[in-house]
Amino acid sequence: MVEFENAALEARNAVSTALFKAWWSPFARYGAIHGDPHLGNYAVREDGGINLMDFGCVRTFTPKFVEGVIGLYRALQKRDDALAAKSYRAWGFAKVTPQMVGVLNLWARFIFTPLLDDRERLVDDGVPAAEYGLKQANEVHAKLKAMGGIRPPREFVFMDRAAIGLGGALIRLGARLNFHKLFEEEIADFDVNALEKRQRASFKNAGVPLPA
């Protein structure tokens, strides 16, 4: 029984690793994501890889936006509010104030926590699914309302929704991985100028319009 459970966990972790890379690699290298990453849109191959299906919800982003996402990750690592503010502006937020940064960081830290935590863990780290993110969402909503509210950029809404979808898929799989290590591998050689050239060349070759 123990051997079976270990084998099952190993298989789930392998699939989860492939799913993680299939989502983050195109974003970090080409500024594109599969925006509907639920388990019904993936098929596991015999070689351990995965096939993606249903490309009705795909989004491309400017290199500046990708740089902003990675910049926000680094800002949370370093607790650097100035870098966080710069990153939020790259995400499309206007009039970024220190107070706004403090509130947005509450939600950002919740989203990025599995990537910031350098250890093997579950995405939800044992928190019941019905409660996962609820406290953070309510707290952020209340504080933004007290500030008079803000209008989030479309890029933020799309990215946030897709990232939550990916996290939900990994939770369903019961993946126990070092997500920090996996993410660092994806962004290890990130360079915004290299991304811009790569994106422009690949999109031109595929006949796909560049993001506005």
Side-chain angles (χ1 to χ4, degrees):
M1 179 63 73
V2 173
E3 291 182 1
F4 175 80
E5 291 177 351
N6 289 339
L9 177 60
E10 185 176 343
R12 291 198 304 272
N13 284 346
V15 171
S16 298
T17 299
L19 192 155
F20 185 96
K21 290 180 175 292
W23 199 84
W24 278 111
S25 290
F27 179 76
R29 293 187 60 77
Y30 299 98
I33 61 170
H34 186 292
D36 195 13
H38 65 76
L39 294 181
N41 283 340
Y42 299 92
V44 181
R45 302 197 305 260
E46 290 186 2
D47 65 1
I50 58 174
N51 292 327
L52 278 69
M53 298 177 285
D54 188 357
F55 290 88
C57 188
V58 172
R59 175 80 190 227
T60 57
F61 298 97
T62 64
K64 180 181 178 182
F65 180 86
V66 179
E67 183 180 38
V69 171
I70 296 173
L72 182 56
Y73 165 76
R74 296 298 186 198
L76 294 172
Q77 273 187 319
K78 302 173 183 178
R79 299 187 179 276
D80 185 339
D81 286 352
L83 178 57
K86 178 181 177 182
S87 300
Y88 287 127
R89 284 191 288 269
W91 281 50
F93 284 95
K95 298 180 180 179
V96 178
T97 65
Q99 184 183 13
M100 183 187 298
V101 169
V103 176
L104 291 176
N105 278 355
L106 293 174
W107 184 245
R109 186 163 292 280
F110 163 71
I111 295 294
F112 278 101
T113 285
L115 307 181
L116 295 166
D117 194 7
D118 188 8
R119 63 184 174 93
E120 288 189 0
R121 54 169 286 164
L122 300 168
V123 169
D124 54 357
D125 209 23
V127 178
E131 300 176 17
Y132 187 64
L134 183 61
K135 176 182 177 182
Q136 292 84 351
N138 288 337
E139 183 178 3
V140 170
H141 180 267
K143 290 189 175 184
L144 289 178
K145 185 177 180 180
M147 291 170 54
I150 61 170
R151 184 175 182 177
R154 288 181 297 175
E155 293 85 353
F156 172 83
V157 175
F158 193 97
M159 184 74 181
D160 191 56
R161 173 187 177 279
I164 290 174
L166 176 65
L170 295 171
I171 289 172
R172 288 286 300 276
L173 286 168
R176 184 178 291 276
L177 297 166
N178 188 321
F179 297 102
H180 170 78
K181 181 179 178 181
L182 291 174
F183 188 65
E184 286 285 345
E185 290 173 357
E186 295 302 325
I187 65 173
D189 60 349
F190 177 77
D191 178 88
V192 67
N193 295 320
L195 168 60
E196 183 176 8
K197 293 178 181 177
R198 191 185 304 118
Q199 185 187 73
R200 187 175 298 277
S202 61
F203 280 37
K204 181 179 179 180
N205 184 57
V208 177
L210 286 167

